[in-house]
Amino acid sequence: MPVRAPRLCGCGKVVPSGARCPCEAKRDAERKARFDMARPNSSQRGYGRSWEKARKVFLARPENRFCKWPGCDLGHKGGPALATHVDHVIPHKGDAKLRDDPRNWQGLCAHHHNSAKQRLERRSTRKDQQ
């Protein structure tokens, strides 16, 4: 199978196909750090003790124990992974009523909550802005 040619980074370094230049990784880390400094903490965003308690109860229910992402096979023996995150089916965007409504919650594994779902929400936000 042919391998793609390396590319030239903006800093002048030759980077193998599929790899990231260290300067790009550093720039990304700096950008994320700036974002995190400006972002309110979890309690300020409405995820205090009452949220943690409700989250724990929700994930303890048998019907919410496993990841609801379609086709999740990251668990033991290729089955669905255990749900570790409570995700909002409809993004609440600061609306406390929608955020605290258990009918708007689903259990997701960390992988799908932190990658696939976030990517999906970013994509839909961009479409809304256009």
Side-chain angles (χ1 to χ4, degrees), residues 28-87:
D28 282 351
E30 290 168 352
R31 178 182 50 81
K32 289 175 183 175
R34 280 193 309 272
F35 174 79
D36 286 345
M37 287 179 63
R39 185 179 191 202
N41 67 32
S42 60
S43 294
Q44 293 167 333
R45 292 192 324 265
Y47 297 107
R49 286 186 184 171
S50 60
W51 166 259
E52 286 299 321
K53 192 175 178 180
R55 175 194 167 282
K56 192 179 254 186
V57 169
F58 181 81
L59 292 175
R61 291 188 195 135
E63 65 271 17
N64 300 323
R65 287 189 54 219
F66 295 101
C67 181
K68 298 286 193 236
W69 192 263
C72 179
D73 60 356
L74 300 172
H76 182 67
K77 295 185 180 177
L82 286 176
T84 55
H85 291 67
V86 174
D87 175 62

